[in-house]
Amino acid sequence: MSLPLFVEVLIQGMLTGLVYGLMALGLSVIFGVVRVVNFAHGEFAVLAMYAAFVLFGLFHLDPIIASIPIAAAFFVIGYLLQRAVVQPFVTRPQHEQFILLVGLSIVIVNALLLIFGPESRHVDLPYSFDSFSIGSILIDEVRVYGALAALAVTAVLFAFFRFTSTGVAIRAAADNLVGAAVVGLDVKRLYAISFGVGLACVGAAGAIMMALTDMTPMLAPSLTLLAFTIVIVGGLGSMVGALAGGLLIGVAEAAASALASPSMKSMVSFGLLIVVLALRPQGLFGKAEA
Amino acid sequence: MSASPASPGARQTVALALFGLALVAAPFVVDRYILSIILLCLIGAYLGQAWNILMGFCGLLSLGHALYLGLGAYGAAALYVKFGIGPWLGVFVAMALAVAASFVIGWLGFRFRIEGVYFSLLTIAFAESARIGFDNWAWLGGAAGFFLPVRAEDFGQYWNLRGGPFFFYYLALALAAGGLFVSARLRASKLGHAWLAIREDAQAARALGVNVTRARFMALFVSAAMTAVGGVYLAFWGNNIFPGQIFDMAHSIDIMLGPIVGGVGTLFGPIVGSFLLVPLGEALIEALRALGLNAPGAKALVYGFLLMGIIAAAPSGVWPWLARRLRLQDREQ
């Protein structure tokens, strides 16, 4: 591979990786706090993609801008979902949580299938095929904007967890549940907020992805797996890890597409996953459990 | 109400015998369509038993059992088509392949203490990698699928699994009965007790001198080998294998739904679950068709809601509840 191509692949991969990272961040927040693995994560991403698609069709709203209202709506969905459906399962065994969320994922995908059909959808943005050129390196414009948007949402999220009292309380609950309950934090509310924040991440990421790729309801399971892979590579429950994992997987996928065939993409990320699990089971940025 | 005339154990034996007799007699009573549904129930029950040994007995949640199914199917089918080696021999190769794959997963998982969610996700990763690998393996047909020849002159070669609907029905019945037998024997064995101890508290089991890693490997091997046998059956029954179907995560989910709905860790849960879910799926298709709603996705949509409802209402499964109602057992088994 020539050097310009190498740099191009690296940059494109990192830009996509930032969007992946945002999606995975949602999964990581939910697991880190609520201790429930959201097996419907990719399905929510696809739901957000369709929301962006519809908003584009109705109001010609750019999916990258639509990510803001969609994230807000997803926060509400997540909050209510945790309160009404997931909360009773928090203390139940893992396989029961799994079935609940798999049931939910089946509902989402097939509702989308019923409404929109199996056709592949995409949005035509005026700048879809434009690119920035630096010397002989070409970078897709839309990917740059998408990555910037993802970075902005991520920054807001980090600020929320660092500087707001709710954010700090959530981190406290994630760190020491009993302690948090003892000092009088409303853990159920914090869980609901966390699930909402997690879905807001995946909502924003899904909307941005609508600008980058074609989409069908069938894409959902592979997105769920992608989010898992990223989060495990980075370390379940670690926010920095989710971002780093996103970048790593983004670059690995871009490299695999360029070097081999696009179908080898997920093979490479699974390979990476297995290597990371073998060498560092808690993930690159995860804390080893005592 | 008067006291029950027989002990729950005896009542359970009678109920099982009656159920078994009904299944043996079924081909002479019901039509082809119903028989094909019972066949699917039996296969589901068998695969559910296999998964249940790992999760229900030993507490290891595998979300990628389609891996063993696919390896078994491809292993035996490839030997038969490419080298003329029949499935009566191929089934052992199929089991060996699945055990080898499960060894790699177990080695990664147990050696590096990948537990809980991580182990489950590891199993998905392997199943997905296999799907992509077989998708790209041209020698075995790749994504376009691998086909077994259906020749009239082979018919009746039962040792090569070439037979009609009755043959495959009784084979499925034998598998399900065998699965129940193996599960019951293992559960009552020393190894079975070690599994239950590990499921409840692995550290406590280790402290009591149970070789946890060895017992977990055994559960993994048994479960993988049994699932591979199911894969051989599916390959020779359907005469075609597609990586996108057999290795699909939806297939893994299908395998585990029966035991979870029926009751994880119980002997009869996988059977009850499968005999509930398969007809439920079929009835849904019929009902939606009668309503004029045969759009793609309608069935699965209702199915998804049902799953959520069942797991919310009866988390420990249908069988423990049913057994109490029918007084087939006096305590959770």
Side-chain angles (χ1 to χ4, degrees), chain B residues 3-4 10 48 52 57 104 127 131 162 175 197 217 227 268 288 300 306:
Chain B
S4 121
N52 192 43
F57 294 0
V104 176
R131 181 179 66 77
R162 308 278 78 183
L175 279 180
F217 266 120
T227 308
F268 298 105
L288 291 171
L306 278 174

Side-chain angles (χ1 to χ4, degrees), chain A residues 37 39 92 94-96 98-100 104 106-107 110 114 225 228 232 236 263 266-267 270 273-274 277-278 281, chain B residues 55 63 108 112 117-118 121-122 124-125 128-129 132 136 256-257 260 295-297 300-301 305 308 311-312 315:
Chain A
V37 178
F39 279 95
R92 297 238 205 126
Q94 229 169 55
H95 67 269
E96 291 175 17
F98 169 77
I99 292 299
L100 179 79
L104 182 64
I106 295 174
V107 167
N110 290 286
L114 270 177
L225 287 174
F228 285 156
I232 294 184
L236 257 179
S263 72
S266 17
M267 197 79 160
F270 287 132
L273 170 71
I274 288 164
L277 278 178
Chain B
M55 170 65 206
L63 303 179
L108 274 171
F112 300 105
V117 192
Y118 299 90
L121 297 175
L122 188 66
I124 300 185
E128 277 295 300
S129 304
I132 299 163
N136 290 293
M256 57 199 286
L257 283 183
I260 289 176
L301 183 67
F305 276 120
M308 293 174 72
I311 202 68

Side-chain angles (χ1 to χ4, degrees), chain A residues 161-173:
Chain A
F161 279 113
R162 188 144 199 103
F163 300 119
T164 68
S165 59
T166 311
V168 174
I170 288 176
R171 283 196 293 146

Side-chain angles (χ1 to χ4, degrees), chain B residues 53 57 177-188 195 222 226 267:
Chain B
I53 288 178
F57 294 0
L180 177 64
F181 177 75
V182 169
S183 295
R185 286 299 294 267
L186 281 172
R187 218 192 130 118
W195 287 341
V222 171
M226 279 175 72
L267 271 184

Side-chain angles (χ1 to χ4, degrees), chain B residues 269-290:
Chain B
I271 301 174
V272 172
S274 181
F275 273 80
L276 270 176
L277 286 180
V278 174
L280 190 68
E282 291 294 322
L284 265 179
I285 295 176
E286 292 297 320
L288 291 171
R289 190 176 294 151

Side-chain angles (χ1 to χ4, degrees), chain A residues 257-269:
Chain A
S257 297
L259 291 173
S261 76
S263 72
M264 298 305 279
K265 269 193 340 189
S266 17
M267 197 79 160
V268 171
S269 20

Side-chain angles (χ1 to χ4, degrees), chain A residues 22-287:
Chain A
L22 178 58
M23 176 177 73
L25 203 56
L27 187 67
S28 196
V29 166
I30 295 172
F31 180 80
V33 181
V34 191
R35 294 273 141 193
V36 167
V37 178
N38 181 17
F39 279 95
H41 209 70
E43 283 71 11
F44 278 110
V46 169
L47 189 65
M49 290 172 103
Y50 273 97
F53 176 74
V54 168
L55 286 177
F56 182 80
L58 289 178
F59 309 112
H60 233 76
L61 192 61
D62 188 312
I64 294 175
I65 295 167
S67 68
I68 298 165
I70 290 174
F74 269 54
F75 174 83
V76 177
I77 295 174
Y79 187 93
L80 297 176
L81 191 70
Q82 169 68 25
R83 278 259 138 142
V85 182
V86 182
Q87 183 61 42
F89 280 80
V90 165
T91 49
R92 297 238 205 126
Q94 229 169 55
H95 67 269
E96 291 175 17
Q97 302 171 348
F98 169 77
I99 292 299
L100 179 79
L101 288 157
V102 163
L104 182 64
S105 71
I106 295 174
V107 167
I108 294 174
V109 167
N110 290 286
L112 289 174
L113 202 59
L114 270 177
I115 299 169
F116 295 101
E119 297 85 11
S120 170
R121 311 274 185 170
H122 69 110
V123 295
D124 284 315
L125 296 170
Y127 53 90
S128 273
F129 297 103
D130 295 350
S131 51
F132 296 118
S133 56
I134 310 158
S136 59
I137 300 165
L138 291 174
I139 304 296
D140 302 341
E141 237 174 78
V142 61
R143 230 169 266 281
V144 173
Y145 299 143
L148 286 176
L151 213 53
V153 177
T154 309
V156 169
L157 198 71
F158 273 78
F160 167 74
F161 279 113
R162 188 144 199 103
F163 300 119
T164 68
S165 59
T166 311
V168 174
I170 288 176
R171 283 196 293 146
D175 212 39
N176 186 339
L177 184 55
V178 178
V182 165
V183 298
L185 293 177
D186 183 352
V187 172
K188 281 188 186 172
R189 186 175 146 266
L190 295 179
Y191 277 6
I193 292 174
S194 304
F195 212 104
V197 168
L199 282 203
C201 290
V202 72
I208 295 169
M209 269 191 258
M210 190 66 238
L212 305 181
T213 57
D214 292 0
M215 162 272 309
T216 79
M218 299 315 169
L219 201 64
S222 58
L223 284 178
T224 301
L225 287 174
L226 180 70
F228 285 156
T229 311
I230 291 170
V231 157
I232 294 184
V233 166
L236 257 179
S238 155
M239 292 179 57
V240 180
L243 280 186
L247 287 177
L248 196 60
I249 296 289
V251 172
E253 282 199 347
S257 297
L259 291 173
S261 76
S263 72
M264 298 305 279
K265 269 193 340 189
S266 17
M267 197 79 160
V268 171
S269 20
F270 287 132
L272 206 60
L273 170 71
I274 288 164
V275 170
V276 168
L277 278 178
L279 299 178
R280 206 179 146 79
Q282 72 273 32
L284 297 176
F285 290 84
K287 279 176 282 185

